[in-house]
């Protein structure tokens, strides 16, 4: 498989859907990736099983507030500064890039960076969705070290972090991303292919392309077509009536209120947001919660609307579907369950809430 | 020459005087250094002329707000984490440590770190005084690169910075020091001995010891004894009547007001502070200005009072004396003259102001 102009639009749609509202706007990411494959050629997608055991896999992504990413766009060559530093620190050539998070623009950027660097990307990522914090990756659950992390900005500054743990890695990288203007680019959790096979969400690049193709190819009801593909539950169909959004500490935080229409009339859903959609509430009842994936879809097109693009009056369908099973483990929930985000809730899988 | 318990108290007094109110409290720095030489033995002081041309000289210091340093003290082994990283990045063994700034505790800490690391220190520093910002060093004036900078905190986090210029190095290191709790430890501008011979303020460790010995050894008037040694002008003798001080952006900023006593009765002096004493004003008249060294002395003991120790009622003598000549060059004034700190003043040497 390779990524080129023929499947990049589907990848963008799929990354948006998997992003749970976060990971950065894919419109900008798609334009950058189309330009990169036009200039440098298609990007091969390799399965981790096809790499040598000792091949070095380099996760990468943007770090910052997605709202800023819409106007403060990348140059496309950021990882060309990061790769040689990683290679020097690891004492090995990078064999392939990998999305740290498949969700949103962070699922697209590795295509751009890989095209520039003439490297393949692997059919896997570190989340199977998007999450706001650096250590909220499957590699952390699997015990891979985040260090050394290598970060750069659009000016050419390069910073290498050796953190004592994932918490401090997050604090250090976040404060530096804020100083850089709310957006920067980094690699953490570099590993060998043999490590990556057990420490990543696998097959997520091809999954994203498939979801995009389903939505783009649906003849009548793209939302329904998608729901069938990922086993999604529709939480509400309605209209965005209120948005509260602010940038604080390098994150977008806030909430969105959706009033039901049609068969959902009289119902009101509230989404709590920290870069991603974290919890969906109807009055006091929780309809879905992180780490399951809550995505706001345009009711007409089936495309996901990122948190930074939500606005009054949009006709939307909010869906929720199961996260990668690793996040439902004890270690996964500790890192990225409701309590990791300050919600005093026991995790209940979305399918259990709605089958009850 | 070597540094041990016999001359450390004099070094502390001298570093305070050269610090222009900044560089961190020497009481804490002295205790740490006494402990270190007791545990690990005396620290040799070497002249740059006696090192091999290619010997690697590693400047080091604390970065943060001196006010915090009084309570959030170091462990003494911080550079033992930094040295191996510098050696790996430079591909050479560190031959000697050097104070990035001789002023205040930053003139003492290299003794502590050198004792731990069984290394000598060189009889030189990067300022000949104290300054608030990372690139305000003689090495920057001489065109030595600040990169790679290596920073650590008391927890064990290590960060390596490759900045595009001194301005960005300052921004990156400052924001990280704030995230670390307002205090951290770093090395920048590593260089060979042949570079250091033309890029540093030389002989400043022995100068600090000599100033300390003059003050501690004076039989009657330590202030007068010191003034003779460094060609200092007394700006006022009086009492501290007002202090305004706040910590913002990783700096201590504020001002101090001193009312004259005795022959200076009716006079009022205001000191403007950013970690260091920057400008001394009497009404609209400037009596001394950065980069010349303005130091507040205890009128009785002749010891310097750091900006973070100033308080109402202290009986003080404010003196000013010439900085290292490198700071009076065009490049030096651009980096650390009055305009570098936001004062719309042409630099006039302190001796010209008072000889007129």
């Amino acid at each position: 498989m390779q990524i080129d102009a023929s499947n990049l639009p589907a990848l963008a749609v799929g990354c948006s859907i998997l992003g749970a509202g976060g990971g950065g706007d894919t419109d900008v990411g798609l334009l950058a990736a189309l330009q990169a494959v036009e200039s440098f050629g298609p990007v091969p997608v390799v399965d981790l099983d096809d790499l040598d055991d000792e091949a070095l896999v380099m996760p990468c992504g943007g770090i910052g507030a997605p709202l800023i990413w819409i106007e403060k766009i990348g140059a496309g060559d950021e990882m060309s500064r990061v790769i040689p530093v990683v290679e020097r620190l690891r004492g090995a050539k990078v064999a392939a890039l990998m999305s740290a998070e498949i969700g949103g623009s962070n699922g697209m950027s590795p295509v751009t960076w890989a095209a520039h660097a003439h490297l393949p990307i692997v059919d896997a990522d570190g989340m199977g969705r998007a999450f706001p914090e650096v250590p909220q990756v499957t590699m952390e659950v699997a015990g891979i070290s985040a260090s050394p992390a290598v970060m750069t900005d659009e000016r050419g500054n390069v910073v290498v972090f050796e953190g004592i743990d994932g918490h401090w890695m997050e604090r250090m990288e976040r404060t530096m991303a804020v100083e850089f203007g709310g957006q920067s680019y980094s690699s953490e959790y570099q590993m060998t292919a043999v490590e990556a096979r057990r420490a990543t969400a696998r097959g997520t690049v091809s999954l994203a392309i498939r979801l995009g193709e389903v939505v783009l190819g649906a003849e009548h009801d793209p939302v329904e077509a998608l729901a069938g593909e990922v086993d999604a539950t529709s939480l509400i169909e309605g209209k965005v009536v209120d948005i509260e959004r602010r940038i604080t500490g390098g994150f977008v935080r806030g909430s969105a209120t959706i009033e039901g229409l049609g068969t959902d009339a009289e119902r009101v859903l509230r989404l709590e947001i920290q870069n991603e959609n974290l919890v969906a509430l109807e009055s006091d009842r929780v309809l879905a919660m992180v780490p399951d994936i809550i995505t706001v879809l345009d009711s007409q097109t089936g495309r996901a609307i990122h948190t930074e693009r939500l606005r009054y009056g949009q006709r939307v369908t909010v869906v929720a579907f199961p996260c990668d099973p690793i996040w439902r483990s004890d270690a996964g929930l500790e890192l990225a369950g409701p309590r990791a985000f300050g919600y005093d809730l026991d995790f209940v899988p979305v399918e259990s809430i709605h089958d009850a």
Side-chain angles (χ1 to χ4, degrees), chain A:
Chain A
M1 183 167 67
Q2 66 176 29
I3 294 182
D4 54 31
S6 74
N7 54 9
L8 268 170
L11 177 65
V13 170
C15 289
S16 265
I17 291 164
L18 291 173
D25 186 76
T26 51
D27 288 354
V28 175
L30 175 57
L31 289 174
L34 285 168
Q35 167 100 56
V37 298
E38 188 185 318
S39 299
F40 302 101
V43 172
V45 181
V46 297
D47 193 277
L48 285 167
D49 289 332
D50 296 332
L51 288 176
D52 289 343
D53 282 2
E54 295 308 307
L56 184 60
V57 176
M58 185 183 120
C60 50
I63 171 169
L67 187 58
I68 289 171
W69 212 329
I70 298 179
E71 297 196 346
K72 188 173 188 289
I73 61 176
D77 62 350
E78 290 82 7
M79 285 305 143
S80 301
R81 275 194 298 280
V82 171
I83 290 166
V85 179
V86 167
E87 291 182 336
R88 195 180 70 215
L89 292 168
R90 291 280 172 181
K93 284 281 173 193
V94 170
L97 301 186
M98 184 186 92
S99 294
E101 66 180 351
I102 192 69
S105 190
N106 266 338
M108 307 295 295
S109 300
V111 176
T112 303
W113 293 321
H116 273 264
H118 303 287
L119 285 171
I121 63 169
V122 297
D123 191 5
D125 81 298
M127 300 188 189
R129 48 163 293 160
F131 277 124
E133 299 198 359
V134 169
Q136 289 171 324
V137 288
T138 52
M139 293 80 84
E140 178 81 17
V141 179
I144 308 285
S145 170
S147 297
V150 182
M151 175 181 277
T152 192
D153 65 356
E154 74 280 9
R155 302 167 194 85
N157 290 301
V158 175
V159 186
V160 178
F161 302 89
E162 297 267 357
I164 53 171
D165 57 27
H167 166 73
W168 269 100
M169 195 61 97
E170 163 64 25
R171 283 187 62 165
M172 294 190 292
E173 292 201 51
R174 188 70 49 186
T175 200
M176 196 55 58
V178 172
E179 187 66 23
F180 282 153
Q183 187 58 51
S184 60
Y185 310 91
S186 64
S187 170
E188 304 85 14
Y189 299 96
Q190 305 94 24
M191 61 201 147
T192 61
V194 70
E195 290 175 314
R197 283 174 207 140
R198 63 173 181 83
T200 60
R202 298 186 60 178
T204 48
V205 173
S206 25
L207 171 64
I209 292 173
R210 199 166 68 246
L211 296 184
E213 286 171 348
V214 163
V215 168
L216 292 173
E219 293 200 2
H220 298 299
D221 190 338
V223 172
E224 194 178 298
L226 174 72
E229 189 72 25
V230 290
D231 196 20
T233 302
S234 171
L235 304 183
I236 196 167
E237 193 179 338
K239 187 178 89 161
V240 178
V241 295
D242 195 33
I243 303 283
E244 192 214 324
R245 192 164 41 203
R246 60 196 184 281
I247 299 186
T248 163
F251 293 113
V252 177
R253 293 175 199 264
S255 65
T257 307
I258 294 119
E259 267 182 20
L261 293 172
T263 56
D264 286 331
E266 312 287 311
R267 293 183 56 211
V268 177
L269 185 89
R270 197 172 87 248
L271 286 177
E272 302 261 340
I273 296 166
Q274 181 187 336
N275 283 14
E276 283 74 44
N277 305 309
L278 295 180
V279 177
L281 294 156
E282 185 168 5
S283 299
D284 287 345
R285 192 170 159 242
V286 179
L287 298 190
M289 67 184 91
V290 70
D292 281 342
I293 299 167
I294 304 168
T295 295
V296 180
L297 302 172
D298 180 303
S299 294
Q300 291 269 294
T301 66
R303 294 185 182 218
I305 303 174
H306 288 239
T307 55
E308 69 270 26
R309 294 279 197 192
L310 284 170
R311 61 176 195 274
Y312 178 86
Q314 287 168 328
R315 299 299 197 275
V316 299
T317 303
V318 182
V319 298
F321 52 99
C323 60
D324 190 284
I326 198 167
W327 294 118
R328 292 178 170 187
S329 68
D330 288 347
L333 287 172
E334 193 181 334
L335 199 60
R339 289 200 167 77
F341 295 98
Y343 295 95
D344 190 21
L345 297 170
D346 291 320
F347 174 73
V348 184
V350 60
E351 63 273 22
S352 305
I353 295 174
H354 298 273
D355 290 350

